Amino acid sequence: MRFAVDTGGTFTDLVVEQADGTLNMFKAPTTPDDPVRGVLNTLQVAADGLGMSRRDMLARGEMFIYGTTHAINAIITGNTARTALVVTEGHLDILTLREGGRTEPFDFTVPYPEPFVPRALTFEIPGRLLADASELRAFDDAAALNVIARLRSLEVEAVAICLLWSIVNPAHEIRMGQLLAEHLPGVPVSLSHEVNPTPREFRRAASTCIDASLKPMMRHYLRSLEERLVAEGFSGRTVVVTSQAGVMDAAAVAEMPIHLINSGPSMAPVSGRYFAIADENSDTAIIADTGGTTYDVSLVRRGHIPRTRETWIGQPYRGIMTGFPSVDVKSVGAGGGSIAWVDEGGMLHVGPKSAGAQPGPACYGAGGTLATVTDASLVLGYIDPDYFLGGQMRLDTDAARRAIDTHVARPLKLSVDEAASAVLGVATENMVQAIFDITVNQGIDPSTAVLVGGGGAAGLNSVHIARRLGSRRLVIPEIGAAMSAAGAMMSELTSQYRQTFFTSSDRFDMEGVSAVLERLERRCDEFISGPGAGSFEQRIQFWAEARYPEQVWNIEVPLPVSRFTTKAEVQALVAAFHRAHEEIFAIQDADSGIEVIGWMATVSCCIRRKEGSSLAQPDHLESDAGSRIAYFDGVGRVPTRVRRFEALRRGETVEGPAIVESSFTSVVIPPGASAERRPSGSLSISQGISRATRSIQ
Amino acid sequence: MTSAPHTSTANGVRLALLNNRLEGIARKMANTLLRTGRSGVLSVARDFSCCIVTANDELLATAESLPIHVLSGPDLMARSMKQFHPELRAGDAFLHNSPYHGCSHPADHTLLVPVIDANGRHRFTVVAKAHQADCGNSIPTTYMGSAKDVYEEGALIFPAVQVQRGYQNIDDIVRMCRMRIRVPDQWWGDFLAMVGAARIGEREMLALAEEVGWDTLDAHARDFFDYSEQRMIAAIGRLQGGSARSQSTHDRFFDTMPEGGVTIGATVNIDSARAMITVDLTDNPDCLPIGLNLSEACARTAAMVGVFNSVDHAVPKNAGSFRRIDVKLRRNCIAGIPEHPTSCSVATTNIADRVANSVQTAIASIGEGMGLAECGAVIPPAVGVISGIDPDTQQPFVNQLFLGFSGGAGAPHADAWQTIAHVGNAGLCFQDSVEIDEMRHPIYVHRRGFVPDTEGAGRHTGARSIFVEFGPLRGSLEVGYVSDGAVHGPKGVRGGLSGAPAAQNRRRVDGSVEELPPCAQVTLAPGERVLSYSCGGGGYGPPEQRAVEAIQHDLDEGYLSPDRAARIYHVVLIAGRRIDPDLTRRRRESI
């Protein structure tokens, strides 16, 4: 038995895989004061559901796969260790200067962001290396010891070291690390060339500071998680989801917790990739996860999940940039709780403010009076007030109507139905723009991709989003309400290694590059025989980080070979770069050579015996759940059949208008669209003729 | 004052949907341009803009762009395109960089693509503009302050010259540029990026029209302009009315400039009842035989930047809100409408910044909680153009660095955004990574960081100065810069004090330091370094009103010395660096 858990902001999701490969999905509330308790509670819900004791269930477990927002929450709330930063003399303000950049150029109400490590805890040490790895000025042990004495007196709890050009010559960082180990034992240290070996000192410093600041608590947290699981009877292996859409052993990730920043959301594209192929035979997909407050979009491009180093915690340019490679996820403030409002000029807006979980939408009856997307969906008849969260919560339709009427319908002189429909229309457009932003940056034409909808609120407007994108097909996996946990179940043990080594296509250093690739491959092999021992399948992929001469940003190109020995092989790399550049940016400069800045190897070890992801089937459920009145744009209020998601037969087709409901989600099939149940259990929806912009004309 | 919603029923929804779509198109253009650009000035400094202009040459939608690029200019350029090419066809594209016909300055190559419907009717113009690493000037800089006219400046000028027909390049133009621009491959890369961006904009506009119809788009444009005007009316209504004149003096760079520098003044009148803001720039000196004269686009835009920095930032910036701003300009005026062959080589920064600063400080002087202090001036050597020949590879190089700028102004409700660059950039510019610069060019960055005690003191502080020391790693290095603000630093408002002035020095091989001129093309010999100090920014409100916690923070972080804290902010320190709040309150009350 294997367990995959994703601790989110509101719910802790659990997917259990039985020995025969069938899956079961469970949810329990997240317990922020002690997240492990929420994990154990969810395991209890599962044990109850599967009719066994929790101890018996855990005793059968081979693997526990954990996705957690614990690390990012610690950063957002400022509950990280008191961390110092050591930098090259003359460059005290790396973290404060950042990389410049600002958003909303006319807004002078937002002050300049504070650095992640205060200037008062940043220290300069003499010694300077250059881009060609030569030493301009030697490291100074005496000066370093002075700094260490100050660190001790300031009682720092973690130390980050980021020295210029350590990526080509780590000698000074290593020496500083040795001195710290000797003179400040017990205080965790992170070295930038190990944490994030990439040029751009700010990004490296940012990752290293975050990594160091998380070490004390994540060491403690992950150890306590493992201990408590063991105490409850678990004796298998515990692995943790990383920002790169892989998993690592808990003990290893505790020593490099920077990997945990996007633990959780990074898994949505892993399950999206599976369903896009299983249900629609497509290797390109857009995965949209709709939560209560945010809409998270990620991608699969020809089987690969694109990554980015520009990951922000908080708002871009105002929050904290991690500088660390992570699955590219675009988040916008659009979800079930997003608030609809009309400005003083009479224009409708939805979000970015959210009613959150408290007080929540007006229909929750918990004190909220503002109109939200959930209220609009309830007014339109898309949500069953008596069957929300499987009937755990009763919704107040009158309160929802009042909120929509007061805050949207009256100011816009619309009927309540029209107003509610407009709220969903504007929310849809916000989501569509988020998809355009990430797809244009990653060079994907949305109309050629399958749209995969996850999260409890995905079904409300995903067909409209698919219509706007011109998607070939919309897939709502049955397990979509736990997309990240499902992805974690399918994930592989991964690691990546990187080395900076500059060469250009016109003066390609074959020997130098081959030596780099050999070193990288050796590290991958060590991983395979170490953490990857006993895995079912192993893969190594080499990458070049390349650009046209004078370009500033690089793109990652998979290498066509694992060593370079002939000119033709170099030409093949150049051709692969041109193709990749055209794919992402729509242009190529075919006559130009290329420059390669760095080289990378990714290793993945498959740890799951079996592909596939079908939920266990319920016994004898009636698929017809009656009908109710729902409003559709351009049609008005019409009787709409309601069907039970889990009871639909494989291959059965549902024509719109219809609503397909489960305890976890409600999928609206508007007139013109039709849905078919796939063998995997997913609903595969054909969007039908586009009517998305009716309200515009 | 809140006005009743002005627009009719369903339009509140259509406005939201279509505005979102149009901004999305402009953003898609900008993302494409940012990602594909070759030169650092484009991909690092974000010195580019993308926008959509109506068939009547009214600015409709923009991607987030540096303000000096886009408020006015695209409208003027689109108009000149139509004037010179009355018959526009699908597949046409025009290269425009003429400051005499609506462009900001000659380094800002602009690609204009008319969007033509199936009946051959011109519906919209999409605009992609990007500052080039080189534009063929007589010396390797795109900011040639010393140019006495456009002939000495030497830039190739393209007044809406056709560069594509039937979606194919007109290679004559491309060859001209390649023969004259120092880094032809970089230019070509940026040109391709602009073409890509403009064509994506065109394609998306055609697809949108296919979906909703051209008439709907036209109706939306009308409604959106009205809506934006209403927002502007409401925003002006919340300001205190009044009139004020404020001045800002550009340092003297050359003998051809008046003793004491060029003083720029703006008279601002806020008419709350009529909801109009008038900016009069006519009472300013005539054009001078230098490269600092403003183009019409920059004169108008700089005035509007000062206004929009002072009103609710949520007001949309387009031809609708612009109806409520009247900018009065004069021909042959340094901050007005230049006449050929006046040089406007440096039009986007120096004098333009003095205009915007004059406007926002004038507004600050009208009422408490309004306007903004002065942002710092530019362009210090650390943001200059470097050039030379790499002794290792014998390859020539030229590029603009972005190693150290600050300049943010104190605001009514917040401290400065430190890295604002200058008022016309608004901080969108990225700062270079030391490692990336050292990898790309044979240079060495010895130091960079904030200079303590250089902030514009105030209730809300202006930015601190940034110091950068750099030079050639091997061989020699040329650095061109146009550094205003050494004499006339950024002024504070409403009792706020000035931020630190700019400075630039050369450190010789023997370690001695000599002062460098404010505007120069300096050659650094092997082993020499330039010391570049950016301007800080002015403070807002009296320093003695600054919150004690904020001062303590500045002390703790090493930005502020105890001596300056006591002297300027009137705090009482105990045990060296701790502020005593009670003693401080009493001391401040006794002022």
Side-chain angles (χ1 to χ4, degrees), chain A residues 191-215:
Chain A
L191 307 181
S192 78
H193 75 276
E194 289 179 354
V195 172
N196 187 12
T198 179
R200 294 182 193 279
E201 64 279 9
F202 164 72
R203 294 183 182 195
R204 210 163 67 244
S207 323
T208 309
C209 288
I210 292 170
D211 188 68
S213 78
L214 289 170
K215 272 183 179 170

Short mmCIF file of all heavy atoms in Angstrom, two decimals, chain A residues 191-215:
data_model
loop_
_atom_site.label_atom_id
_atom_site.label_comp_id
_atom_site.label_asym_id
_atom_site.label_seq_id
_atom_site.Cartn_x
_atom_site.Cartn_y
_atom_site.Cartn_z
N LEU A 191 25.80 26.54 1.30
CA LEU A 191 26.77 27.13 0.37
C LEU A 191 26.09 27.31 -0.99
O LEU A 191 25.49 26.38 -1.52
CB LEU A 191 27.99 26.23 0.21
CG LEU A 191 28.70 25.79 1.50
CD1 LEU A 191 29.91 24.93 1.18
CD2 LEU A 191 29.14 27.01 2.31
N SER A 192 26.25 28.49 -1.57
CA SER A 192 25.46 28.82 -2.78
C SER A 192 25.81 27.92 -3.94
O SER A 192 24.94 27.58 -4.74
CB SER A 192 25.65 30.29 -3.16
OG SER A 192 26.89 30.49 -3.82
N HIS A 193 27.07 27.49 -4.08
CA HIS A 193 27.42 26.68 -5.25
C HIS A 193 26.84 25.27 -5.13
O HIS A 193 26.73 24.56 -6.12
CB HIS A 193 28.93 26.61 -5.46
CG HIS A 193 29.65 25.73 -4.49
ND1 HIS A 193 30.03 26.14 -3.25
CD2 HIS A 193 30.04 24.43 -4.59
CE1 HIS A 193 30.64 25.14 -2.62
NE2 HIS A 193 30.66 24.09 -3.41
N GLU A 194 26.44 24.89 -3.91
CA GLU A 194 25.77 23.60 -3.75
C GLU A 194 24.26 23.74 -3.88
O GLU A 194 23.60 22.90 -4.48
CB GLU A 194 26.09 23.01 -2.36
CG GLU A 194 27.53 22.54 -2.23
CD GLU A 194 27.82 21.98 -0.83
OE1 GLU A 194 26.94 22.07 0.07
OE2 GLU A 194 28.93 21.50 -0.65
N VAL A 195 23.72 24.81 -3.30
CA VAL A 195 22.26 24.96 -3.28
C VAL A 195 21.72 25.26 -4.68
O VAL A 195 20.76 24.65 -5.14
CB VAL A 195 21.86 26.09 -2.31
CG1 VAL A 195 20.37 26.40 -2.41
CG2 VAL A 195 22.22 25.70 -0.88
N ASN A 196 22.36 26.20 -5.36
CA ASN A 196 21.78 26.66 -6.64
C ASN A 196 22.91 27.11 -7.56
O ASN A 196 23.16 28.31 -7.71
CB ASN A 196 20.81 27.81 -6.35
CG ASN A 196 20.05 28.24 -7.59
OD1 ASN A 196 20.06 27.56 -8.62
ND2 ASN A 196 19.38 29.39 -7.50
N PRO A 197 23.63 26.15 -8.16
CA PRO A 197 24.82 26.51 -8.94
C PRO A 197 24.47 27.18 -10.25
O PRO A 197 24.47 26.55 -11.31
CB PRO A 197 25.52 25.17 -9.16
CG PRO A 197 24.46 24.14 -9.02
CD PRO A 197 23.40 24.71 -8.12
N THR A 198 24.16 28.47 -10.18
CA THR A 198 23.77 29.21 -11.38
C THR A 198 24.37 30.60 -11.31
O THR A 198 24.50 31.16 -10.22
CB THR A 198 22.23 29.29 -11.47
OG1 THR A 198 21.87 30.03 -12.63
CG2 THR A 198 21.64 29.98 -10.26
N PRO A 199 24.76 31.18 -12.45
CA PRO A 199 25.22 32.57 -12.38
C PRO A 199 24.05 33.49 -12.02
O PRO A 199 22.90 33.06 -12.11
CB PRO A 199 25.73 32.86 -13.79
CG PRO A 199 25.26 31.76 -14.66
CD PRO A 199 24.81 30.63 -13.80
N ARG A 200 24.33 34.73 -11.69
CA ARG A 200 23.40 35.73 -11.16
C ARG A 200 23.43 35.61 -9.63
O ARG A 200 22.72 34.81 -9.03
CB ARG A 200 21.97 35.56 -11.64
CG ARG A 200 21.80 35.80 -13.11
CD ARG A 200 20.35 35.64 -13.51
NE ARG A 200 20.25 35.57 -14.95
CZ ARG A 200 20.26 36.62 -15.77
NH1 ARG A 200 20.32 37.84 -15.26
NH2 ARG A 200 20.21 36.46 -17.05
N GLU A 201 24.28 36.43 -9.03
CA GLU A 201 24.54 36.30 -7.60
C GLU A 201 23.30 36.53 -6.74
O GLU A 201 23.15 35.93 -5.69
CB GLU A 201 25.68 37.26 -7.18
CG GLU A 201 25.39 38.76 -7.35
CD GLU A 201 25.59 39.26 -8.78
OE1 GLU A 201 25.79 38.44 -9.69
OE2 GLU A 201 25.54 40.50 -8.97
N PHE A 202 22.37 37.39 -7.23
CA PHE A 202 21.18 37.62 -6.40
C PHE A 202 20.35 36.34 -6.28
O PHE A 202 19.93 35.96 -5.19
CB PHE A 202 20.30 38.75 -6.97
CG PHE A 202 18.92 38.74 -6.37
CD1 PHE A 202 18.73 39.13 -5.06
CD2 PHE A 202 17.83 38.27 -7.09
CE1 PHE A 202 17.46 39.07 -4.48
CE2 PHE A 202 16.57 38.21 -6.53
CZ PHE A 202 16.38 38.61 -5.21
N ARG A 203 20.12 35.67 -7.39
CA ARG A 203 19.28 34.47 -7.34
C ARG A 203 19.92 33.40 -6.47
O ARG A 203 19.25 32.71 -5.71
CB ARG A 203 19.05 33.93 -8.75
CG ARG A 203 18.24 34.90 -9.56
CD ARG A 203 17.91 34.39 -10.93
NE ARG A 203 17.16 35.44 -11.62
CZ ARG A 203 16.47 35.26 -12.72
NH1 ARG A 203 16.42 34.08 -13.29
NH2 ARG A 203 15.81 36.26 -13.26
N ARG A 204 21.24 33.28 -6.62
CA ARG A 204 21.95 32.27 -5.84
C ARG A 204 21.89 32.62 -4.35
O ARG A 204 21.65 31.77 -3.50
CB ARG A 204 23.39 32.19 -6.32
CG ARG A 204 23.98 30.82 -6.17
CD ARG A 204 25.23 30.66 -7.03
NE ARG A 204 26.34 31.50 -6.61
CZ ARG A 204 26.87 32.47 -7.34
NH1 ARG A 204 26.38 32.75 -8.53
NH2 ARG A 204 27.87 33.17 -6.89
N ALA A 205 22.09 33.91 -4.05
CA ALA A 205 22.05 34.33 -2.65
C ALA A 205 20.65 34.12 -2.07
O ALA A 205 20.49 33.66 -0.93
CB ALA A 205 22.46 35.80 -2.52
N ALA A 206 19.63 34.45 -2.87
CA ALA A 206 18.25 34.32 -2.37
C ALA A 206 17.95 32.86 -2.06
O ALA A 206 17.45 32.53 -0.97
CB ALA A 206 17.27 34.86 -3.42
N SER A 207 18.27 31.95 -2.98
CA SER A 207 18.00 30.53 -2.73
C SER A 207 18.75 30.04 -1.51
O SER A 207 18.23 29.26 -0.71
CB SER A 207 18.45 29.64 -3.89
OG SER A 207 18.24 30.22 -5.11
N THR A 208 20.00 30.50 -1.39
CA THR A 208 20.84 29.99 -0.31
C THR A 208 20.33 30.49 1.05
O THR A 208 20.31 29.73 2.02
CB THR A 208 22.31 30.42 -0.55
OG1 THR A 208 22.65 30.06 -1.89
CG2 THR A 208 23.24 29.73 0.41
N CYS A 209 19.90 31.74 1.09
CA CYS A 209 19.36 32.28 2.35
C CYS A 209 18.08 31.54 2.74
O CYS A 209 17.88 31.20 3.91
CB CYS A 209 19.07 33.77 2.22
SG CYS A 209 20.55 34.77 2.16
N ILE A 210 17.21 31.31 1.75
CA ILE A 210 15.96 30.61 2.06
C ILE A 210 16.27 29.21 2.55
O ILE A 210 15.72 28.73 3.55
CB ILE A 210 15.05 30.57 0.80
CG1 ILE A 210 14.56 31.99 0.47
CG2 ILE A 210 13.89 29.62 1.00
CD1 ILE A 210 13.87 32.09 -0.87
N ASP A 211 17.20 28.56 1.87
CA ASP A 211 17.57 27.20 2.24
C ASP A 211 18.08 27.15 3.69
O ASP A 211 17.61 26.36 4.51
CB ASP A 211 18.66 26.70 1.28
CG ASP A 211 18.97 25.23 1.48
OD1 ASP A 211 18.11 24.40 1.19
OD2 ASP A 211 20.08 24.92 1.96
N ALA A 212 19.03 28.03 3.99
CA ALA A 212 19.60 28.02 5.35
C ALA A 212 18.52 28.32 6.39
O ALA A 212 18.45 27.67 7.44
CB ALA A 212 20.73 29.06 5.44
N SER A 213 17.66 29.28 6.07
CA SER A 213 16.66 29.72 7.06
C SER A 213 15.65 28.63 7.37
O SER A 213 14.99 28.66 8.41
CB SER A 213 15.94 30.97 6.55
OG SER A 213 14.97 30.61 5.58
N LEU A 214 15.47 27.69 6.45
CA LEU A 214 14.48 26.62 6.65
C LEU A 214 15.07 25.40 7.32
O LEU A 214 14.34 24.53 7.80
CB LEU A 214 13.90 26.19 5.29
CG LEU A 214 12.96 27.17 4.60
CD1 LEU A 214 12.67 26.69 3.18
CD2 LEU A 214 11.66 27.32 5.38
N LYS A 215 16.39 25.31 7.34
CA LYS A 215 17.01 24.05 7.79
C LYS A 215 16.62 23.65 9.21
O LYS A 215 16.17 22.52 9.42
CB LYS A 215 18.53 24.12 7.65
CG LYS A 215 19.01 23.68 6.27
CD LYS A 215 20.52 23.70 6.19
CE LYS A 215 20.97 23.25 4.81
NZ LYS A 215 22.41 23.48 4.62
#
